[in-house]
């Protein structure tokens, strides 16, 4: 039996649609009911973000009314925000609901809320019965244009972000811009940084479109925001399938542009800086750095940092460093980033709008100078 | 924005080999070291089945010696048998090892043991960092020819078998028949029932080969057992990729032949009946039933039941029922089986060796008669 072995090779297809609908749980809007009926669903387990439920006190009863008579739906509320990812409690609550509601592989877990709740509920849905059907209804800008349309889920463990989780595409994503109405200004703004990021990496037209729509976005124009979300989500969705490595088995993840410093800054500030705010600063930093090392023109560097500022984002935080240069704790983020990816260091920069470049080593002095420049700008 | 949506479609390729090697952890056998070196691995987290470690007291030191100087390997022992799947403790221990050992997506979790330990460790490996590389080294007949070469993992939760888990193919499987030497006779025999099962479903030649090798198997001939495992594992591996639905999104699972009653019998007997023993009885029952309803000839029915008996398996257990017919609790297994699959009832029977047939309704009287016949045989 020496030198012989059995070879296993197969491919698994994944398919899902991201719909854009308004007033999803209005009784007269039968989109979701029809979608569920067409899939033969009967039982639903609905997980609602507690923060959203507080901001929209009639949501729970609207959902109950919406499904009544058509489906056996059981709802629970879970804590909103990152806290829901810091313990097993939320996952346990969703698993319990799946068990009690007899959700099988042809019923649905529906999660409604911000990115953290979707990450947690998506993880529970992915491991219950080795994966039950799952609908994501993201209710923040950040989750509608970025995390909610992707393929990842997870919770924090041992104090480490997303230490446990899976790659598990949802069956359906539904973005309803009317959920954004009750967001505060910080959360409304936060998600825009991911749109800036993908425009810089992939789409000069989209970058210019954002520049042209700064005032409408600052004035909380829902139509404009919906278009921003659509274009950003579309680029994100294309990126996942277009790279040939949707479950990230390789080392390069170009959509992490601006993210190494952002992750670290969130941690160092104890998450008082929101993810989108940290990403805005991380982009400003890496853009400035690309300018410093002569990869990006000074005019374009200024233009990008100006756009970020004009949307109301800070481009500098004292915890990033000071006139002496970068905070060593932030700089250490590069090492951790490399360890997380488990290969050689790979940082994505841009040499023009729409032109991403991977680099594998960095000039620490140029990062120190970038910090000083951003401090002086702010 | 009405009626437009973003479409996501991609395919993920999965590949792994099942190797057959002997004396894997002999220092002179560099197969595993070379394999790990060729993949650029440096850090290893090794999970050892406590039952195996007890039966082979020098295993732990042999493993330490084997990796010393070549890899940074950390080992833990976990409880063997189904108990390790009944709490979160084992998963927590593996996650802790992954964290402390800084296992990233290019290092390896290596699990060595029976099916339960592989299920638990495989689950932990699948959720740590959204999936770290994983090598399975099954050490029982059942895990070498069936569960260990497949794509599932999981633990029990809310008292329900495999309530949480994932579909996550291993990176490599290595079957070493020398691990079987210390199995007791019940465990040596148990795994053979899965070989009978796949031969009945798919391979008449293999069925005849098993008939011809009854004495060698009963005499614990390692060469013959290795060939049985190879042929069974190969059919299993081909089944997973050949059906076009490796992650079981559909309702039919023909490899569950004989399993609906087996699962229920294990539960009813509080797992004093081993899985392989229960499967042997489940096959005998469904074969008898196929004979009763005229699907299978009486001669073939007798021949199959005779083979099962000749290998030392019981074909009847008092908890299956008595002269009044089937135990209602066992009969209820049909309902649970349907619920687990979440669609219409689908039971696989055979109309000849190698000819599987799916049926969607059953004749309870014929099951009652089958129980009586098996009771009289025993």
């Amino acid at each position: 039996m020496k030198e012989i072995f059995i070879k296993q090779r197969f491919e698994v297809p994944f398919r899902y649609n991201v719909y854009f609908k308004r007033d999803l749980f209005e009784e007269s809007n039968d989109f979701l009911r029809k979608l569920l009926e067409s899939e033969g669903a009967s039982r639903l387990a609905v997980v609602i973000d507690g923060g959203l439920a507080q901001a929209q006190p009639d949501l729970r009863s609207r959902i109950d009314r919406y499904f009544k008579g058509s489906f056996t739906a059981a709802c629970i509320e879970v804590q909103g925000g990152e806290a829901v990812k810091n313990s097993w409690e939320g996952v346990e609550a969703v698993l319990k609901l799946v068990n009690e509601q007899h959700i099988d592989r042809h019923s649905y877990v529906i999660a409604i809320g911000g990115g953290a709740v979707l990450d947690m509920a998506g993880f529970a849905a992915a491991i219950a019965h080795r994966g039950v059907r799952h609908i994501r209804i993201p209710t923040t800008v950040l989750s509608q244009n970025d995390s909610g349309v992707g393929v990842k889920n997870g919770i924090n463990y041992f104090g480490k972000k997303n230490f446990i989780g899976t790659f598990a595409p949802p069956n359906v994503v539904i973005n309803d811009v009317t959920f954004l109405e009750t967001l505060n200004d910080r959360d409304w703004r936060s998600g825009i940084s991911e749109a800036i990021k993908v425009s810089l990496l992939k789409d000069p037209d989209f970058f210019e479109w954002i520049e042209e729509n700064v005032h409408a976005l600052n004035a909380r124009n829902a139509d404009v925001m919906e278009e921003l979300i659509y274009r950003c989500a579309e680029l994100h969705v294309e990126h996942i399938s277009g790279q040939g490595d949707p479950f990230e088995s390789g080392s390069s993840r170009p959509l992490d542009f601006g993210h190494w410093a952002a992750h670290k800054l969130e941690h160092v500030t104890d998450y008082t800086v929101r993810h989108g705010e940290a990403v805005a600063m991380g982009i400003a930093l890496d853009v400035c750095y690309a300018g410093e090392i002569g990869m990006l023109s000074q005019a374009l560097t200024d233009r990008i940092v100006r756009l970020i500022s004009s949307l109301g984002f800070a481009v500098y935080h004292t915890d990033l460093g000071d006139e002496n240069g970068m905070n060593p704790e932030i700089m250490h983020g590069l090492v951790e980033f490399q360890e997380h990816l488990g290969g050689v260091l790979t940082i994505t920069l841009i040499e023009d709008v729409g032109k991403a470049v991977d680099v594998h080593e960095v000039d620490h002095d140029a990062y120190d100078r970038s910090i000083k420049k951003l401090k002086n700008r702010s």
Side-chain angles (χ1 to χ4, degrees), chain A:
Chain A
M1 290 255 171
K2 300 265 161 64
E3 309 313 310
I4 56 166
F5 57 92
I6 303 167
K7 279 188 199 183
Q8 178 64 293
R9 274 109 185 85
F10 58 82
E11 306 208 327
V12 179
F14 293 95
R15 307 184 164 351
Y16 62 92
N17 295 334
V18 182
Y19 295 98
F20 287 76
K21 297 288 164 186
R22 293 191 184 187
D23 300 310
L24 194 60
F25 292 110
E26 281 301 309
E27 261 189 285
S28 58
N29 183 348
D30 59 4
F31 170 75
L32 179 55
R33 280 193 303 259
K34 281 202 166 163
L35 184 117
L36 290 165
E37 276 160 16
S38 72
E39 296 292 328
S42 64
R43 290 188 301 279
L44 312 175
V46 185
V47 182
I48 306 171
D49 187 317
L52 177 71
Q54 206 168 7
Q56 307 193 356
D58 64 333
L59 178 64
R60 178 73 179 265
S61 60
R62 278 196 287 133
I63 292 173
D64 285 341
R65 237 183 355 256
Y66 186 82
F67 289 126
K68 200 174 174 179
S70 310
F71 303 95
T72 311
C75 294
I76 57 166
E77 279 173 35
V78 295
Q79 194 176 10
E82 192 70 14
V84 79
K85 293 176 66 175
N86 285 331
S87 82
W88 186 253
E89 227 173 276
V91 175
E92 175 89 16
V94 178
L95 291 173
K96 200 160 160 267
L97 188 68
V98 166
N99 186 35
E100 289 170 356
Q101 186 68 359
H102 299 285
I103 298 295
D104 57 32
R105 290 218 293 268
H106 300 273
S107 308
Y108 283 84
V109 170
I110 301 178
I112 307 168
V117 169
L118 300 186
D119 274 359
M120 180 282 290
F123 175 60
I127 62 173
H129 296 303
R130 299 198 182 100
V132 293
R133 293 185 183 198
H134 179 43
I135 295 178
R136 287 200 201 132
I137 302 176
T139 62
T140 62
V141 177
L142 190 59
S143 56
Q144 290 194 356
N145 71 9
D146 189 72
S147 63
V149 302
V151 296
K152 300 187 214 179
N153 59 52
I155 63 169
N156 310 326
Y157 215 76
F158 302 128
K160 295 193 176 170
K161 203 165 161 71
N162 297 322
F163 185 83
I164 66 180
T166 70
F167 291 95
N171 295 75
V172 176
V173 180
I174 309 169
N175 279 339
D176 178 348
V177 77
T178 63
F179 276 118
L180 309 180
E181 285 164 12
T182 50
L183 292 180
N184 65 39
D185 286 345
R186 275 183 82 185
D187 287 324
W188 171 274
R189 183 188 301 120
S190 277
I192 300 174
S193 55
E194 296 288 350
I196 298 171
K197 181 195 74 179
V198 288
S199 78
L200 289 174
L201 290 172
K202 292 170 176 279
D203 190 341
D205 286 347
F206 185 32
F207 180 75
E208 283 176 23
W209 181 93
I210 299 172
E211 285 186 318
E212 284 156 18
N213 284 282
V214 164
H215 293 297
L217 288 167
N218 288 342
R220 299 191 60 146
N221 180 314
D223 292 334
V224 169
M225 184 57 101
E226 193 178 41
E227 187 166 347
L228 177 133
I229 289 167
Y230 190 96
R231 294 178 76 158
C232 182
E234 190 171 41
L235 288 165
H236 194 84
V237 161
E238 282 169 6
H239 176 81
I240 292 167
S241 51
Q243 303 288 307
D245 187 21
F247 290 175
E248 298 177 8
S249 56
S251 302
S252 170
R253 307 196 302 179
L255 276 189
D256 274 333
F257 178 50
H259 274 56
W260 71 268
H263 283 312
K264 200 65 202 175
L265 182 64
E266 282 180 88
H267 180 73
V268 168
T269 61
D270 222 0
Y271 296 89
T272 55
V273 174
R274 286 194 181 18
H275 180 67
E277 295 167 342
V279 167
M281 288 186 254
I283 294 170
L285 177 60
D286 279 348
V287 161
C288 237
Y289 173 81
E292 280 300 309
I293 61 170
M295 181 184 275
L296 194 65
S297 76
Q298 205 50 55
L300 206 44
T301 302
D302 288 343
R303 189 174 150 196
I304 296 165
V305 175
R306 206 180 312 124
L307 173 64
I308 295 170
S309 292
S310 70
L311 284 159
F313 287 111
V315 295
Y316 166 79
H317 188 285
T318 50
D319 284 344
L320 282 173
D322 54 25
E323 47 286 323
N324 297 315
M326 187 177 276
N327 175 357
E329 222 180 323
I330 298 289
M331 196 75 95
H332 192 69
L334 283 172
V335 178
E336 288 169 20
F337 192 65
Q338 180 177 1
E339 191 177 275
H340 179 68
L341 295 183
V344 290
L345 175 67
T346 305
I347 296 281
T348 305
L349 298 174
I350 54 168
E351 57 182 22
D352 196 354
V353 175
K355 285 197 181 149
V357 180
D358 278 356
V359 301
H360 302 289
E361 50 189 41
V362 299
D363 172 349
H364 289 207
D365 290 342
Y367 265 122
D368 287 337
R369 295 197 301 276
S370 304
I371 292 289
K372 276 182 261 185
K373 284 201 173 170
L374 288 171
K375 181 173 189 301
N376 292 335
R377 255 179 185 278
S378 67

